[in-house]
């Protein structure tokens, strides 16, 4: 995120509709959404989770030439940041995918029927996928959802039992804005992509949302409870900060 200070401008009654365009970053075409905000005093540019699109917030009425100049100046920054997101996210035979922090080589069985399964072949982790190659992404996603639910249901039960908090439901989603959520009614929601992370990170996410059953905030008492449930919290948060966007970048469609 880069700031650019701007003079204050008089806000109009209704905010302009967001502008959408395609930005060419060294040959890589990126969808860009530009929103004007009446309280913004600077430009902010963010890479959305997964590295597939960009979001820009600008002060109300900022001239287009200033926006374009800002984007031109930060082409190098974008190129550096986007380099960590692979442009080849196809889940073809021979490529790799993480499962609980371990890289598994994807192997198509060549048969139309059969279960997706994680096995060891010649000492190497393998994810075997049946069906047509073009359906591999959907089959792998279904497998990951099932594995994520199994892991998180067990971990939530343990943590909720520790603090004696009832859980109403557990839902798997594919959200990009957050890894999990907790409602005041005790409904927990998780991104199933978390099952690609190491076990400590999965445990932390479960502990984080369970802690919200007692503390619906991110104050000191919440973090103390979260750390009690997951002593390795700091390492897990650091892993998510470094690698979380890469998990979002994988295209299962």
């Amino acid at each position: 995120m880069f700031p650019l200070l701007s003079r204050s401008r008089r806000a109009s009654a209704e905010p302009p509709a967001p502008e959408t365009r395609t930005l060419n970053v060294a040959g890589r075409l990126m969808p860009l959404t530009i929103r004007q905000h009446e309280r913004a005093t600077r430009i902010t540019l963010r890479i959305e989770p997964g590295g597939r699109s960009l979001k820009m917030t600008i002060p109300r009425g900022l001239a287009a030439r200033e926006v374009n100049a800002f984007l031109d100046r930060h082409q190098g920054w974008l190129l550096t940041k986007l380099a960590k997101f692979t442009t080849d996210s196809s889940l073809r035979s021979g490529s790799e995918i993480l499962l609980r922090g371990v890289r598994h080589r994807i192997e198509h069985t060549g048969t139309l029927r059969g279960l997706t399964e994680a096995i060891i072949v010649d000492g190497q982790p393998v994810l075997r996928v049946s069906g047509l190659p073009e359906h591999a992404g959907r089959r792998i996603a279904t497998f990951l959802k099932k594995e994520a639910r199994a892991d998180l249901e067990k971990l939530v039960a343990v943590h909720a039992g520790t603090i004696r908090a009832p859980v109403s439901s557990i839902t798997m989603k594919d959200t990009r804005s957050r890894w999990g959520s907790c409602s005041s009614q005790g409904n927990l929601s998780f991104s199933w992509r978390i099952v690609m992370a190491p076990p400590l990170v999965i445990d932390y996410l479960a502990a984080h949302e369970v802690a919200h059953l007692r503390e619906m905030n991110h104050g000191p008492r919440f973090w103390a409870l979260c750390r009690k449930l997951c002593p390795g919290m700091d390492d897990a948060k650091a892993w998510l900060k470094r690698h979380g966007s890469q998990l979002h970048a994988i295209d299962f469609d």
Side-chain angles (χ1 to χ4, degrees):
M1 179 178 73
F2 282 92
L4 174 67
L5 296 180
S6 171
R7 297 183 301 275
S8 61
R9 292 167 172 79
R10 182 178 300 174
S12 58
E14 293 294 333
E19 176 190 351
T20 58
R21 65 165 83 169
T22 300
L23 183 68
N24 189 323
V25 184
R28 183 171 180 175
L29 301 181
M30 299 291 298
L32 169 65
T33 301
I34 304 174
R35 296 179 182 273
Q36 297 188 37
H37 197 286
E38 62 182 17
R39 295 184 180 179
T41 58
R42 60 182 183 177
I43 292 177
T44 58
L45 177 63
R46 294 184 174 87
I47 299 173
E48 293 288 75
R52 299 182 186 178
S53 61
L54 306 172
K55 180 180 179 181
M56 193 179 209
T57 302
I58 65 174
R60 184 76 65 83
L62 187 67
R65 65 178 180 277
E66 294 188 54
V67 174
N68 294 333
F70 180 89
L71 291 170
D72 288 341
R73 288 198 305 274
H74 294 101
Q75 279 270 326
W77 177 82
L78 281 171
L79 186 60
T80 300
K81 293 296 183 181
L82 289 171
K84 69 178 182 178
F85 300 104
T86 176
T87 56
D88 181 11
S89 59
S90 60
L91 300 173
R92 62 182 183 275
S93 187
S95 61
E96 294 182 332
I97 191 167
L98 288 171
L99 175 62
R100 300 183 181 94
V102 178
R103 291 195 174 278
H104 286 63
R105 177 171 52 84
I106 297 174
E107 180 182 283
H108 293 301
T109 63
T111 61
L112 293 179
R113 297 181 179 275
L115 298 175
T116 301
E117 56 181 351
I119 59 175
I120 301 296
V121 178
D122 296 331
Q124 299 298 318
V126 171
L127 187 66
R128 277 191 173 164
V129 187
S130 60
L132 296 173
E134 56 266 33
H135 298 158
R138 294 205 305 264
R139 286 178 174 265
I140 292 174
T142 298
F143 171 78
L144 293 179
K145 291 173 189 177
K146 182 183 70 173
E147 295 297 301
R149 176 174 287 279
D151 286 5
L152 287 163
E153 284 182 345
K154 292 177 183 177
L155 292 167
V156 166
V158 171
H159 293 315
T162 298
I163 64 174
R164 298 182 181 179
V167 176
S168 298
S169 68
I170 297 176
T171 305
M172 297 295 116
K173 295 184 177 181
D174 192 13
T175 53
R176 298 183 185 275
S177 59
R178 60 177 64 182
W179 287 103
S181 64
C182 172
S183 75
S184 57
Q185 292 76 37
N187 300 310
L188 304 185
S189 176
F190 299 97
S191 169
W192 51 264
R193 290 174 183 257
I194 198 66
V195 79
M196 291 185 278
L200 172 63
V201 182
I202 304 172
D203 183 50
Y204 160 67
L205 181 60
H208 184 112
E209 300 310 331
V210 167
H212 277 312
L213 295 171
R214 286 286 179 250
E215 300 290 337
M216 292 293 291
N217 55 69
H218 286 104
R221 291 175 58 180
F222 165 80
W223 289 116
L225 179 56
C226 193
R227 190 180 302 278
K228 178 182 178 181
L229 294 174
C230 180
M233 177 182 77
D234 291 337
D235 289 339
K237 289 174 66 177
W239 192 96
L240 271 180
K241 184 176 182 180
R242 289 194 305 269
H243 305 291
S245 290
Q246 297 175 28
L247 305 187
H248 285 304
I250 300 174
D251 186 1
F252 292 93
D253 294 329

